[in-house]
Amino acid sequence: MIEVTRLNGKKLTVNAELIERVEELPDTVITFTTGNKIIVKESRQEVKNLVILYKKEVLCREL
């Protein structure tokens, strides 16, 4: 799970495993495999970095 910020400033925790794509249009839109979309304050690169950190954390727990 990663924490992102909606445009209204509220924090939201989302399942990083369900992210299908992240686009900057110019706002950052996260599209999930379910078809749901959210707009967040973080940049596309920030979301990517959060997902990478999450994946690293998960992999370290499995070792």
Side-chain angles (χ1 to χ4, degrees):
M1 305 285 271
I2 63 169
E3 187 174 272
V4 292
T5 311
R6 289 185 181 265
L7 293 182
N8 65 6
K10 295 198 179 196
K11 297 287 186 179
L12 176 68
T13 304
V14 299
N15 187 339
E17 301 293 338
L18 296 179
I19 294 175
E20 182 177 318
R21 97 180 141 255
V22 180
E23 303 170 280
E24 288 181 330
L25 303 171
D27 292 325
T28 306
V29 178
I30 301 175
T31 303
F32 297 92
T33 57
T34 61
N36 292 338
K37 295 182 180 188
I38 60 169
I39 300 173
V40 298
K41 285 187 174 182
E42 289 78 10
S43 69
R44 183 191 55 79
Q45 186 63 49
E46 289 172 309
V47 173
K48 180 179 174 182
N49 291 343
L50 288 169
V51 172
I52 289 170
L53 286 172
Y54 163 77
K55 297 265 187 183
K56 283 182 181 179
E57 188 177 307
V58 169
L59 287 173
C60 286
R61 288 182 188 169
E62 291 178 2
L63 296 177

